[in-house]
Amino acid sequence: MASLTPISQTQFLFNKTLLKSSSPHLETCFQSSFVSKRLCFQLKVPVFDRMPLKNTAVVAATTAEKPKKRYPGEAKGFVEEMRFVAMKLHTREQAKEGEKEVKEKEEEAVRKWEPSIDGYLKFLVDSKLVYDTLEEIVEKASFPFCDSAKSGVWHFERETDGAQYAEFRNTGLERSEKLAKDLEWFKEQGYNIPKPSSPGVSYSQILQELSEKDPQAFICHFYNIYFAHSAGGQMIGRKVAEQLLNKKELEFYKWDGDLSQLLQNVRDKLNKVAEGWTREEKDHCLEETEKSFKHSGEILRLILS
């Protein structure tokens, strides 16, 4: 008669238990005094030590950290990033890195270059208003403080929502006083000096607002206005002097000291300021470049009016 025996009591029935492992199968054998023959069972098991190396490499690749994205000019400092973006907004005739196409009638007129004294005076007056605004903002600013514990990165004291810009006082790039002398000279020659026009007034107001609410955008305009004048601005000055002023060189196109060194000093300061910015703040500054070109271009085209 058959009986049910608990598992714990059946263990003595098997005198020997033999295990043999031969990948990819596992063989288990049992021998008992109640059974004349040895019983063996063969089980197929998965093999984990034979995983293809290709799969292992894929897993490692997916868990590896992605390399940091590098921005054009970033290795040389943030000013080089600003320069790279600005150059792309030129035409190929203006700069070898230029990518802008000439589409508008006004831009075609700039290429033909037929300036007038009246238009040039409007340009100088509106330019002076813009430089007056920039230099007043800088002059009224509080001094920044430098935290040596953070590798000399400048941090700005804040009175409003905007950063203060006192570090950019007396850079040698200032143009307001130079323009005042030039306009006085034109007055002595019998020319009527016009009032500032819409392009200059509008840009002045924008700069004031940005300085209070959007320091990264303001720095973009600051850089492009001064550095553009030191490059393309000089070329414009020479052309106007040859065609209208009997080659007279205006004070607007003169600097006290070595211009290349003055520019480098400002580059260093701008780079140091940008070290305290996040990548998002830097990108925001770069995105403002096109607006800077737009407003400066409107003032430049006054020469042809």
Side-chain angles (χ1 to χ4, degrees), residues 191-209:
Y191 292 101
N192 292 321
I193 308 302
K195 298 291 184 182
S197 60
S198 177
V201 172
S202 175
Y203 199 13
S204 173
Q205 292 173 345
I206 289 170
L207 291 172
Q208 187 64 53
E209 292 173 2

Side-chain angles (χ1 to χ4, degrees), residues 292-305:
S292 174
F293 271 54
K294 173 181 177 293
H295 295 299
S296 294
E298 289 173 353
I299 294 175
L300 176 62
R301 282 192 283 272
L302 291 172
I303 298 176
L304 307 175
S305 62

Side-chain angles (χ1 to χ4, degrees), residues 63-168:
T63 58
E65 192 173 310
K66 293 183 179 179
K68 180 182 177 182
K69 179 181 177 181
R70 300 292 290 182
Y71 291 79
E74 184 179 6
K76 295 182 179 181
F78 186 64
V79 171
E80 184 64 16
E81 290 188 55
M82 288 196 284
R83 190 199 71 82
F84 182 84
V85 173
M87 288 299 100
K88 290 177 66 177
L89 293 176
H90 287 75
T91 64
R92 288 300 297 271
E93 292 181 359
Q94 296 169 330
K96 63 180 180 180
E97 304 102 320
E99 298 181 0
K100 185 178 180 181
E101 296 182 2
V102 178
K103 296 180 180 179
E104 300 179 3
K105 292 181 179 180
E106 291 87 349
E107 291 174 344
E108 288 288 354
V110 171
R111 292 176 67 181
K112 293 178 181 179
W113 194 251
E114 298 175 354
S116 67
I117 285 288
D118 289 341
Y120 191 50
L121 283 171
K122 291 178 183 177
F123 164 75
L124 294 176
V125 168
D126 279 33
S127 294
K128 183 177 184 301
L129 178 59
V130 168
Y131 284 105
D132 285 346
T133 303
L134 289 172
E135 289 159 27
E136 285 174 8
I137 290 170
V138 168
E139 187 61 32
K140 293 179 180 178
S142 300
F143 278 101
F145 65 91
C146 176
D147 185 354
S148 59
K150 295 186 177 182
S151 304
V153 174
W154 288 332
H155 304 272
F156 290 104
E157 296 175 350
R158 297 175 182 271
E159 295 176 356
T160 62
D161 292 332
Q164 306 305 308
Y165 315 98
E167 191 60 40
F168 298 102

